[in-house]
């Protein structure tokens, strides 16, 4: 699909105005905010085009685009949402541009390690937090972890899904104060003892609240996340150029610096 997107970019050069548009509208997953902000800043500096940015849960961003909100480049924390737009004829080809994985973010006083993570999750006294499935792919990935747990403890999937607090990523989720990492804020506010989120989010949360612990998932429960990129129909040439820039060595290097596994350069 990367080749398909690159081909579409070349075609756009012959169908779009040659004058660069003054602004490109970027909609991107909240987990991409730090990395994509740096990418957008560098793109603005090197291309002389302003990037207007909207960050949020990927599913909610997709709904906004489907509802007619002006958008041009859409970077999702999964492949499903951009593919949905492409299948509906609202966007071009979808490219895998980064990978992530899930980690557990734990309170400092919670005795938990990779080897004891499942037992800790199942402990009735331990409050488990996740993002909101369907609205935010991070919630869907967390629930995939719960699905995998069934192979090791009968009834684990149902128990974990029933006890999980969906604390972020939903339409009605409480918002962190301006400038605060949402996951660090949730944990500092004592809303959960353990939170399943992207490892990249966990690193940023720990920078915000240094006493938090990051626990790797055991291989048997590990869940990876593929991030998809697409350009919305009728977007200007500069939007296609931004998409290529995200896939370029410069964009991929920035993603890697924030802990994403880069998908590789064009």
């Amino acid at each position: 699909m990367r080749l398909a997107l690159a081909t579409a970019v070349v075609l756009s050069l012959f169908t779009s105005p040659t004058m660069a548009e003054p602004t490109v509208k970027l909609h991107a997953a909240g987990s991409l905010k730090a990395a994509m902000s740096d990418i957008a800043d560098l793109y603005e500096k090197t291309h002389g085009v302003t990037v207007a940015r909207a960050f949020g849960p990927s599913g909610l961003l997709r709904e906004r685009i489907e509802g007619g909100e002006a958008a041009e480049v859409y970077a999702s924390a999964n492949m499903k949402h951009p593919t949905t737009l492409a299948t509906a004829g609202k966007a071009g080809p979808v490219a895998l541009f980064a990978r992530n994985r899930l980690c557990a973010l734990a309170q400092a006083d919670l005795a938990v390690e990779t080897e004891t993570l499942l037992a800790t999750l199942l402990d009735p006294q331990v409050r488990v937090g996740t993002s909101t499935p369907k609205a935010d792919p991070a919630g869907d990935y967390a629930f995939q972890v719960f699905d995998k747990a069934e192979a090791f403890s009968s009834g684990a999937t149902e128990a974990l899904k029933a006890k999980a607090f969906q604390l972020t990523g939903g339409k009605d989720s409480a918002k962190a104060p301006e400038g605060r990492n949402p996951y660090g804020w949730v944990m500092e506010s004592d809303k959960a003892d353990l939170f399943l989120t992207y490892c990249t989010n966990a690193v940023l949360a720990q920078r915000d609240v240094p006493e938090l612990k990051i626990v790797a998932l055991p291989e048997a429960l590990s869940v990876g996340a593929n991030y998809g990129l697409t350009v919305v129909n009728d977007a200007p040439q500069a939007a296609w150029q931004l998409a290529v820039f995200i896939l370029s060595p410069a964009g991929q290097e920035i993603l890697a610096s924030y802990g994403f596994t880069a998908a590789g350069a064009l």
Side-chain angles (χ1 to χ4, degrees):
M1 296 306 293
R2 295 167 64 81
L3 179 59
L5 189 144
T7 301
V9 173
V10 172
L11 292 175
S12 77
L13 299 178
F14 295 95
T15 58
S16 301
T18 56
M19 182 178 294
E21 295 291 326
T23 302
V24 175
K25 299 179 180 66
L26 169 66
H27 284 51
S31 57
L32 289 165
K33 185 174 182 178
M36 203 61 79
S37 292
D38 283 0
I39 290 173
D41 288 345
L42 183 57
Y43 178 79
E44 289 179 339
K45 181 179 179 180
T46 56
H47 289 71
V49 177
T50 299
V51 180
R53 309 152 199 197
F55 297 101
S58 297
L60 299 186
L61 290 178
R62 189 208 75 217
E63 291 178 0
R64 286 160 52 180
I65 295 171
E66 289 173 329
E69 181 169 311
E72 292 164 352
V73 179
Y74 174 48
S76 171
N78 66 7
M79 300 293 287
K80 177 182 178 180
H81 292 314
T83 299
T84 297
L85 292 179
T87 301
K90 295 179 179 294
V94 180
L96 169 65
F97 72 97
R99 294 184 174 92
N100 208 340
R101 64 189 189 283
L102 247 58
C103 282
L105 189 63
Q107 298 287 4
D109 59 355
L110 184 66
V112 59
E113 299 178 354
T114 298
E115 295 75 19
T116 62
L117 180 61
L118 179 55
T120 303
L121 286 167
L122 288 168
D123 185 337
Q125 302 303 313
V126 173
R127 297 166 300 160
V128 177
T130 72
S131 194
T132 305
K134 297 183 180 178
D136 185 350
D140 297 309
Y141 294 130
F143 274 45
Q144 287 178 28
V145 173
F146 299 160
D147 289 335
K148 288 190 171 189
E150 188 68 22
F152 304 94
S153 179
S154 179
T157 298
E158 182 178 355
L160 290 170
K161 290 183 179 180
K163 72 177 290 190
F165 294 98
Q166 298 173 26
L167 299 173
T168 61
K171 291 181 179 179
D172 300 321
S173 297
K175 305 300 182 185
E178 185 68 27
R180 289 298 307 275
N181 177 273
Y183 307 97
W185 175 73
V186 161
M187 297 297 282
E188 188 179 58
S189 301
D190 196 32
K191 297 180 183 296
D193 301 306
L194 189 149
F195 196 105
L196 293 181
T197 187
Y198 301 119
C199 295
T200 53
N201 283 344
V203 170
L204 294 174
Q206 191 181 55
R207 291 179 188 173
D208 193 37
V209 184
E211 60 268 26
L212 294 175
K213 299 187 297 188
I214 299 174
V215 182
L217 271 63
E219 186 61 34
L221 297 180
S222 181
V223 171
N226 291 332
Y227 282 50
L229 178 71
T230 191
V231 177
V232 179
N233 287 351
D234 300 321
Q237 179 179 321
W240 291 97
Q241 291 173 337
L242 174 59
V244 169
F245 189 75
I246 293 168
L247 292 164
S248 74
Q252 295 286 292
E253 183 178 353
I254 291 173
L255 286 162
S257 74
Y258 279 93
F260 293 92
T261 302
L266 286 174

